[in-house]
Amino acid sequence: MAGNVELLNSVLAQARTENRAALVGYLPAGFPTVDDGIRAMTEILDGGCDIVEVGLPHSDPVLDGPVIQTADDIALRGGVKIVDVIRTVREVHAATGAPVLCMTYWNPVDAYGVERFAADLAEAGGAGCILPDLPVEESEVWRKAAAQHGLATVFVVAPSSRDERLAKITAAGSGFVYAASLMGVTGTRESVGREAEDLVARTRATTALPVCVGLGVSDAGQAAEVARFADGVIVGSAFVKRLLAADGDLDAGLAGVRALAGELAEGVRKRA
């Protein structure tokens, strides 16, 4: 079965025709449990997200802040494995019909087997992979496998990326470009800085791919602010916080993430 890169492309294009940014949610697989994580991601999509990223929990998530690290730790202590991540992709896509991507560091993919991972992700209906720590220069084996199985390869760019580096990264990527809004790790912020807008403009100068901004958006106002200049708004830590705040009350946590998705969906439609 081929992956769903074309579905991802069409959802991003549809958002653009509606003159708005796409809303992308993120949660790690296995948090709070595998089954409950599947339910939470389904709620996020039903609540207003266009796309969801399924995180593959990692013991040393260098890009992720303390909130996502906490969720990863819960998932890992619960025994989550790559097979559970693939199952999460499959069941969330089957339940919603939405594009589902996997966000993962490179080491687990390499250990699992590049071709095997691409094939399994595509068979599950996945749309692609976000690989924040895979250098473009070392990505050919993955990109070949991804293209063969109909998967997008999404690379991350940062404000520190020079223009010539941006051009090299965006030429190798597909689906969209993940623009990290500021230097540092993930987490909700009081404001989403001007660096993000500058990075989007510089990235767009090198590619026709949509540019989606993540790292820091936590509420409808910030979503509207980012939607003014980006093709997509990515939210992760704020969803994790809603589940953590429920303190084991799953129904409250599911209601919380669904409500947040709805608020953010209104935000990307307003634009600041």
Side-chain angles (χ1 to χ4, degrees):
M1 177 179 173
N4 274 314
V5 64
E6 292 305 328
L7 174 63
L8 174 67
N9 293 342
S10 68
V11 167
L12 289 164
Q14 179 61 32
R16 179 174 289 184
T17 65
E18 294 172 9
N19 194 33
R20 65 173 179 89
L23 179 60
V24 185
Y26 165 93
L27 281 174
F31 169 71
T33 66
V34 175
D35 287 344
D36 294 345
I38 290 167
R39 290 180 64 188
M41 292 179 209
T42 302
E43 290 291 337
I44 283 172
L45 288 162
D46 289 345
C49 283
D50 301 290
I51 299 161
V52 75
E53 300 172 7
V54 176
L56 196 159
H58 196 275
S59 55
D60 184 26
V62 292
L63 184 72
D64 297 311
V67 172
I68 290 174
Q69 285 185 21
T70 297
D72 276 6
D73 186 54
I74 289 168
L76 290 167
R77 283 191 281 115
V80 71
K81 299 285 193 296
I82 289 182
V83 66
D84 301 308
V85 177
I86 298 296
R87 180 188 148 213
T88 298
V89 171
R90 176 182 288 107
E91 295 197 13
V92 172
H93 173 63
T96 63
V100 182
L101 297 107
C102 179
M103 185 166 188
T104 178
Y105 295 96
W106 177 244
N107 190 52
V109 176
D110 195 34
Y112 188 81
V114 174
E115 168 64 28
R116 178 185 173 206
F117 188 88
D120 288 357
L121 182 60
E123 190 277 330
C129 227
I130 302 163
L131 297 155
D133 67 338
L134 179 62
V136 170
E137 293 80 2
E138 299 170 22
S139 69
E140 186 178 356
V141 170
W142 165 258
R143 286 189 287 120
K144 193 172 290 185
Q148 182 181 338
H149 291 285
L151 298 169
T153 296
V154 178
F155 288 111
V156 178
V157 298
S160 59
S161 304
R162 297 179 180 273
D163 290 352
E164 57 270 28
R165 181 72 183 159
L166 288 175
K168 180 177 280 191
I169 292 170
T170 58
S174 55
F176 63 90
V177 182
Y178 187 128
S181 66
L182 35 82
M183 299 303 293
V185 298
T186 61
T188 57
R189 314 275 175 177
E190 290 301 313
S191 63
V192 181
R194 286 183 196 158
E195 282 185 321
E197 187 167 1
D198 176 65
L199 176 59
V200 169
R202 291 195 299 118
T203 303
R204 278 190 177 147
T206 72
T207 184
L209 289 172
V211 183
C212 302
V213 171
L215 306 197
V217 175
S218 61
D219 59 36
Q222 290 175 351
E225 179 189 348
V226 173
R228 183 173 52 80
F229 58 81
D231 300 298
V233 178
I234 302 169
V235 181
S237 294
F239 284 119
V240 173
K241 277 187 171 180
R242 291 284 177 108
L243 285 172
L244 290 171
D247 198 23
D249 183 342
L250 180 63
D251 288 341
L254 295 176
V257 295
R258 184 182 183 108
L260 177 59
E263 293 159 16
L264 293 165
E266 286 187 21
V268 300
R269 284 162 173 81
K270 283 180 182 173
R271 300 190 172 198

